[in-house]
Amino acid sequence: MTIKRTDFPDNFIFGVATSSYQIEGATNEDGRGDSIWDTFCREPGRIQDGTGGDVACDHYHLWPQDLDLIQSLGVDAYRFSVAWPRIQPDGKGPVNQKGLDFYERLVDGMLERGLQPYLTLYHWDLPQTLQDEGGWVNRETAYRFAEYARVVAERLGGRVRSYATLNEPWCSSILSYQIGEHAPGLQDRRAALAAAHHLLLGHGEAVKVMRDIVPGSSLGIVLNLQPAYPASDREEDVAAARFADGTFNRWFLDPIFRGEYPADIWDAYGEDVPTVQDGDFAATSQPIDFLGVNYYSRSVNGATGNVRPSESSYTHMGWEVYPQGLTDLLVRINHDYTVPPVYITENGAAYPDELEGGRVHDAQRVEYFKAHVQATSDAVQQGVNVAGYFAWSLMDNFEWAFGYSRRFGMVYVDYGNQQRILKDSAKWYQTLVTRQDAGV
Ligand SMILES: OC[C@H]1NNC[C@@H](O)[C@@H]1O
């Protein structure tokens, strides 16, 4: 059985994805302000290898060669994010023209190379000055976000036809304000749920603003979703899976597509629930043109905690390789919600890659991509309107709390000399997207 590009509709998009803080570097250049991740990386113990994004892949300076690299892969599109602190160093008010100029050059560079720009407005690099005023826990940040969206849309306008407001609001709220592994590193569930609500409010306010500025553009949001499976059919395990599905998936899908929070989880959260004002759900459930789904793995839930099926293989992040979960997730979303076209906006795996004689034989990552592209095709065959697939990631980059200790790229980055080296997985992807009938 081989997975081929012709297994997908002709207009299906294949792309690669990155994000600003993870690849750009140049954190003190051309007027960029501090983000919460610059602050977080300076706090001892927060990042596993003690690093930060101050240099990263030096993409701020190497972007022309990186766009050449993306073009050489033969993909249709490039998913990237704009750093809010480059556009508004204080998170509000004065606009830094040099920041806008950078992204204008980058977008024009994509268009010149026949690459469709898929822009994400917020991939976690909140201006520190807004965090100083409470960050996403402060409802005002939602309105500052809409103002920032206006600035970007006014400059990049029709050249960018696809705008995602947020990347993974679960990470920007629960992982960041409740679990504390991501910036700003708090551990307060009430704060986290307030942050989640204001992120979704900001999404809605930004969509409202952008509808007028970039009419005809495709506006959406990107969610990291994880299908939750019960460890057994025992009632307590089934309940554990439903709770996991509720807190991880439905807490974000429901406000966007149903204009409400899921009642079971709302009740479970008790006093920690966010303050919802009149009109909030009208904003959060603004009609959108696409849903981005970031899929990496599933969870297997038992009453006493998560289970790691021994028969599965695991990535360098400790995530189970479970491609069927992607198909199941897409079919479920399509069944339970009225969704617009879906893009797989991130899918990929970290493995401990070794550079051997100038090559990286990342066979496990090749198998991961093959299986998940196949799983995406299976969902399409089952009637899910999947419009595209973006591999995470174009190149190795700063993997947040893991620093540079985890490599997700299909292109190897030698951080000592900033060389980019195509791994076998890049070559496989190239054969797939350029219709050279990649075999499975
Ligand atoms: O952990 C891998 C990726 N997950 N989604 C968000 C990205 O920024 C991460 O690198």
PDB file of all heavy atoms in Angstrom, residues 19 22 123-124 167-168 294 296 317 319 346 392 399-400 408, ligand 1:
ATOM      1  N   SER A  19       7.480  28.499  13.750  1.00  0.00           N
ATOM      2  CA  SER A  19       6.917  29.644  14.480  1.00  0.00           C
ATOM      3  C   SER A  19       8.029  30.627  14.792  1.00  0.00           C
ATOM      4  O   SER A  19       9.214  30.249  14.860  1.00  0.00           O
ATOM      5  CB  SER A  19       6.236  29.193  15.780  1.00  0.00           C
ATOM      6  OG  SER A  19       7.176  29.110  16.834  1.00  0.00           O
ATOM      7  N   GLN A  22      10.620  30.220  17.750  1.00  0.00           N
ATOM      8  CA  GLN A  22      11.398  28.988  17.678  1.00  0.00           C
ATOM      9  C   GLN A  22      12.500  29.020  16.629  1.00  0.00           C
ATOM     10  O   GLN A  22      13.439  28.217  16.694  1.00  0.00           O
ATOM     11  CB  GLN A  22      10.448  27.812  17.391  1.00  0.00           C
ATOM     12  CG  GLN A  22       9.507  27.538  18.539  1.00  0.00           C
ATOM     13  CD  GLN A  22       8.571  26.383  18.236  1.00  0.00           C
ATOM     14  OE1 GLN A  22       7.501  26.565  17.684  1.00  0.00           O
ATOM     15  NE2 GLN A  22       8.981  25.189  18.593  1.00  0.00           N
ATOM     16  N   HIS A 123       1.729  32.786  18.153  1.00  0.00           N
ATOM     17  CA  HIS A 123       2.303  31.475  18.500  1.00  0.00           C
ATOM     18  C   HIS A 123       3.153  31.670  19.748  1.00  0.00           C
ATOM     19  O   HIS A 123       4.353  31.410  19.776  1.00  0.00           O
ATOM     20  CB  HIS A 123       3.136  30.933  17.335  1.00  0.00           C
ATOM     21  CG  HIS A 123       3.365  29.442  17.383  1.00  0.00           C
ATOM     22  ND1 HIS A 123       3.006  28.579  16.361  1.00  0.00           N
ATOM     23  CD2 HIS A 123       3.952  28.683  18.342  1.00  0.00           C
ATOM     24  CE1 HIS A 123       3.373  27.339  16.703  1.00  0.00           C
ATOM     25  NE2 HIS A 123       3.927  27.373  17.892  1.00  0.00           N
ATOM     26  N   TRP A 124       2.504  32.253  20.799  1.00  0.00           N
ATOM     27  CA  TRP A 124       2.963  32.244  22.184  1.00  0.00           C
ATOM     28  C   TRP A 124       3.895  33.364  22.617  1.00  0.00           C
ATOM     29  O   TRP A 124       4.173  33.502  23.811  1.00  0.00           O
ATOM     30  CB  TRP A 124       3.635  30.905  22.533  1.00  0.00           C
ATOM     31  CG  TRP A 124       2.800  29.712  22.207  1.00  0.00           C
ATOM     32  CD1 TRP A 124       1.500  29.692  21.770  1.00  0.00           C
ATOM     33  CD2 TRP A 124       3.209  28.342  22.289  1.00  0.00           C
ATOM     34  NE1 TRP A 124       1.090  28.403  21.550  1.00  0.00           N
ATOM     35  CE2 TRP A 124       2.113  27.556  21.865  1.00  0.00           C
ATOM     36  CE3 TRP A 124       4.384  27.706  22.661  1.00  0.00           C
ATOM     37  CZ2 TRP A 124       2.156  26.162  21.819  1.00  0.00           C
ATOM     38  CZ3 TRP A 124       4.434  26.307  22.620  1.00  0.00           C
ATOM     39  CH2 TRP A 124       3.332  25.553  22.202  1.00  0.00           C
ATOM     40  N   ASN A 167      -2.344  29.978  17.852  1.00  0.00           N
ATOM     41  CA  ASN A 167      -1.856  28.608  17.815  1.00  0.00           C
ATOM     42  C   ASN A 167      -2.032  27.989  19.209  1.00  0.00           C
ATOM     43  O   ASN A 167      -1.468  28.495  20.181  1.00  0.00           O
ATOM     44  CB  ASN A 167      -0.372  28.557  17.436  1.00  0.00           C
ATOM     45  CG  ASN A 167       0.130  27.114  17.418  1.00  0.00           C
ATOM     46  OD1 ASN A 167      -0.164  26.375  16.488  1.00  0.00           O
ATOM     47  ND2 ASN A 167       0.838  26.702  18.442  1.00  0.00           N
ATOM     48  N   GLU A 168      -2.804  26.941  19.282  1.00  0.00           N
ATOM     49  CA  GLU A 168      -2.906  26.098  20.477  1.00  0.00           C
ATOM     50  C   GLU A 168      -3.231  26.879  21.767  1.00  0.00           C
ATOM     51  O   GLU A 168      -2.429  26.934  22.715  1.00  0.00           O
ATOM     52  CB  GLU A 168      -1.618  25.298  20.647  1.00  0.00           C
ATOM     53  CG  GLU A 168      -1.306  24.411  19.469  1.00  0.00           C
ATOM     54  CD  GLU A 168      -0.054  23.552  19.660  1.00  0.00           C
ATOM     55  OE1 GLU A 168       0.648  23.698  20.668  1.00  0.00           O
ATOM     56  OE2 GLU A 168       0.214  22.731  18.761  1.00  0.00           O
ATOM     57  N   ASN A 294      -3.650  20.559  15.194  1.00  0.00           N
ATOM     58  CA  ASN A 294      -2.292  20.065  15.430  1.00  0.00           C
ATOM     59  C   ASN A 294      -2.427  18.726  16.135  1.00  0.00           C
ATOM     60  O   ASN A 294      -3.015  18.662  17.225  1.00  0.00           O
ATOM     61  CB  ASN A 294      -1.491  21.049  16.301  1.00  0.00           C
ATOM     62  CG  ASN A 294      -1.193  22.342  15.569  1.00  0.00           C
ATOM     63  OD1 ASN A 294      -1.484  22.474  14.385  1.00  0.00           O
ATOM     64  ND2 ASN A 294      -0.594  23.302  16.265  1.00  0.00           N
ATOM     65  N   TYR A 296      -0.395  15.179  17.400  1.00  0.00           N
ATOM     66  CA  TYR A 296       0.866  14.485  17.660  1.00  0.00           C
ATOM     67  C   TYR A 296       0.651  13.071  18.166  1.00  0.00           C
ATOM     68  O   TYR A 296       1.361  12.140  17.791  1.00  0.00           O
ATOM     69  CB  TYR A 296       1.729  15.289  18.643  1.00  0.00           C
ATOM     70  CG  TYR A 296       2.282  16.524  17.981  1.00  0.00           C
ATOM     71  CD1 TYR A 296       1.606  17.740  18.033  1.00  0.00           C
ATOM     72  CD2 TYR A 296       3.456  16.449  17.233  1.00  0.00           C
ATOM     73  CE1 TYR A 296       2.098  18.861  17.383  1.00  0.00           C
ATOM     74  CE2 TYR A 296       3.961  17.564  16.582  1.00  0.00           C
ATOM     75  CZ  TYR A 296       3.272  18.770  16.648  1.00  0.00           C
ATOM     76  OH  TYR A 296       3.749  19.867  15.992  1.00  0.00           O
ATOM     77  N   MET A 317       9.842  12.757  22.574  1.00  0.00           N
ATOM     78  CA  MET A 317       9.054  13.519  23.561  1.00  0.00           C
ATOM     79  C   MET A 317       8.317  12.591  24.520  1.00  0.00           C
ATOM     80  O   MET A 317       7.650  13.035  25.449  1.00  0.00           O
ATOM     81  CB  MET A 317       8.023  14.410  22.848  1.00  0.00           C
ATOM     82  CG  MET A 317       8.600  15.467  21.940  1.00  0.00           C
ATOM     83  SD  MET A 317       9.513  16.742  22.837  1.00  0.00           S
ATOM     84  CE  MET A 317       8.160  17.777  23.380  1.00  0.00           C
ATOM     85  N   TRP A 319       5.899  10.642  23.406  1.00  0.00           N
ATOM     86  CA  TRP A 319       4.538  10.585  22.886  1.00  0.00           C
ATOM     87  C   TRP A 319       4.339   9.303  22.079  1.00  0.00           C
ATOM     88  O   TRP A 319       5.174   8.951  21.226  1.00  0.00           O
ATOM     89  CB  TRP A 319       4.246  11.794  22.016  1.00  0.00           C
ATOM     90  CG  TRP A 319       4.362  13.118  22.743  1.00  0.00           C
ATOM     91  CD1 TRP A 319       4.380  13.310  24.104  1.00  0.00           C
ATOM     92  CD2 TRP A 319       4.486  14.419  22.159  1.00  0.00           C
ATOM     93  NE1 TRP A 319       4.515  14.652  24.405  1.00  0.00           N
ATOM     94  CE2 TRP A 319       4.562  15.350  23.236  1.00  0.00           C
ATOM     95  CE3 TRP A 319       4.520  14.889  20.851  1.00  0.00           C
ATOM     96  CZ2 TRP A 319       4.688  16.725  23.015  1.00  0.00           C
ATOM     97  CZ3 TRP A 319       4.647  16.260  20.645  1.00  0.00           C
ATOM     98  CH2 TRP A 319       4.722  17.165  21.716  1.00  0.00           C
ATOM     99  N   GLU A 346      -0.206  21.065  12.063  1.00  0.00           N
ATOM    100  CA  GLU A 346       1.050  20.510  12.574  1.00  0.00           C
ATOM    101  C   GLU A 346       0.905  19.005  12.770  1.00  0.00           C
ATOM    102  O   GLU A 346      -0.113  18.558  13.298  1.00  0.00           O
ATOM    103  CB  GLU A 346       1.458  21.120  13.929  1.00  0.00           C
ATOM    104  CG  GLU A 346       1.950  22.530  13.883  1.00  0.00           C
ATOM    105  CD  GLU A 346       2.352  23.037  15.255  1.00  0.00           C
ATOM    106  OE1 GLU A 346       2.744  22.218  16.116  1.00  0.00           O
ATOM    107  OE2 GLU A 346       2.232  24.263  15.501  1.00  0.00           O
ATOM    108  N   TRP A 392       5.259  19.330  10.869  1.00  0.00           N
ATOM    109  CA  TRP A 392       6.036  20.042  11.885  1.00  0.00           C
ATOM    110  C   TRP A 392       7.302  19.258  12.113  1.00  0.00           C
ATOM    111  O   TRP A 392       7.234  18.105  12.571  1.00  0.00           O
ATOM    112  CB  TRP A 392       5.274  20.179  13.217  1.00  0.00           C
ATOM    113  CG  TRP A 392       6.090  20.982  14.184  1.00  0.00           C
ATOM    114  CD1 TRP A 392       7.012  20.513  15.085  1.00  0.00           C
ATOM    115  CD2 TRP A 392       6.124  22.413  14.287  1.00  0.00           C
ATOM    116  NE1 TRP A 392       7.610  21.574  15.737  1.00  0.00           N
ATOM    117  CE2 TRP A 392       7.079  22.740  15.273  1.00  0.00           C
ATOM    118  CE3 TRP A 392       5.431  23.455  13.669  1.00  0.00           C
ATOM    119  CZ2 TRP A 392       7.360  24.055  15.636  1.00  0.00           C
ATOM    120  CZ3 TRP A 392       5.699  24.759  14.017  1.00  0.00           C
ATOM    121  CH2 TRP A 392       6.658  25.046  14.998  1.00  0.00           C
ATOM    122  N   GLU A 399      12.601  23.983  20.994  1.00  0.00           N
ATOM    123  CA  GLU A 399      11.416  23.233  21.402  1.00  0.00           C
ATOM    124  C   GLU A 399      11.021  23.605  22.827  1.00  0.00           C
ATOM    125  O   GLU A 399      10.952  22.787  23.731  1.00  0.00           O
ATOM    126  CB  GLU A 399      11.647  21.731  21.276  1.00  0.00           C
ATOM    127  CG  GLU A 399      10.480  20.847  21.701  1.00  0.00           C
ATOM    128  CD  GLU A 399       9.149  21.201  21.039  1.00  0.00           C
ATOM    129  OE1 GLU A 399       9.171  21.674  19.884  1.00  0.00           O
ATOM    130  OE2 GLU A 399       8.096  21.046  21.691  1.00  0.00           O
ATOM    131  N   TRP A 400      10.773  24.906  23.043  1.00  0.00           N
ATOM    132  CA  TRP A 400      10.216  25.433  24.272  1.00  0.00           C
ATOM    133  C   TRP A 400      10.959  24.948  25.525  1.00  0.00           C
ATOM    134  O   TRP A 400      12.198  25.100  25.587  1.00  0.00           O
ATOM    135  CB  TRP A 400       8.713  25.175  24.296  1.00  0.00           C
ATOM    136  CG  TRP A 400       8.044  25.643  23.049  1.00  0.00           C
ATOM    137  CD1 TRP A 400       7.470  24.874  22.085  1.00  0.00           C
ATOM    138  CD2 TRP A 400       7.910  26.998  22.588  1.00  0.00           C
ATOM    139  NE1 TRP A 400       6.986  25.659  21.060  1.00  0.00           N
ATOM    140  CE2 TRP A 400       7.244  26.968  21.337  1.00  0.00           C
ATOM    141  CE3 TRP A 400       8.276  28.256  23.100  1.00  0.00           C
ATOM    142  CZ2 TRP A 400       6.936  28.117  20.608  1.00  0.00           C
ATOM    143  CZ3 TRP A 400       8.004  29.396  22.375  1.00  0.00           C
ATOM    144  CH2 TRP A 400       7.321  29.323  21.146  1.00  0.00           C
ATOM    145  N   PHE A 408      12.633  18.257  15.840  1.00  0.00           N
ATOM    146  CA  PHE A 408      11.386  17.948  15.123  1.00  0.00           C
ATOM    147  C   PHE A 408      11.514  18.183  13.623  1.00  0.00           C
ATOM    148  O   PHE A 408      10.586  17.896  12.874  1.00  0.00           O
ATOM    149  CB  PHE A 408      10.246  18.854  15.624  1.00  0.00           C
ATOM    150  CG  PHE A 408       9.476  18.312  16.799  1.00  0.00           C
ATOM    151  CD1 PHE A 408       9.842  18.638  18.094  1.00  0.00           C
ATOM    152  CD2 PHE A 408       8.367  17.495  16.613  1.00  0.00           C
ATOM    153  CE1 PHE A 408       9.137  18.156  19.184  1.00  0.00           C
ATOM    154  CE2 PHE A 408       7.643  17.005  17.697  1.00  0.00           C
ATOM    155  CZ  PHE A 408       8.024  17.342  18.982  1.00  0.00           C
TER     156      PHE A 408
HETATM  157  O1  LIG B   1       5.870  20.142  20.432  1.00  0.00           O
HETATM  158  C1  LIG B   1       5.962  20.252  19.053  1.00  0.00           C
HETATM  159  C2  LIG B   1       5.169  21.466  18.580  1.00  0.00           C
HETATM  160  N1  LIG B   1       3.802  21.382  19.069  1.00  0.00           N
HETATM  161  N2  LIG B   1       2.965  22.442  18.674  1.00  0.00           N
HETATM  162  C3  LIG B   1       3.507  23.784  18.897  1.00  0.00           C
HETATM  163  C4  LIG B   1       4.945  23.898  18.428  1.00  0.00           C
HETATM  164  O2  LIG B   1       5.443  25.181  18.751  1.00  0.00           O
HETATM  165  C5  LIG B   1       5.780  22.785  19.033  1.00  0.00           C
HETATM  166  O3  LIG B   1       7.134  22.894  18.638  1.00  0.00           O
END
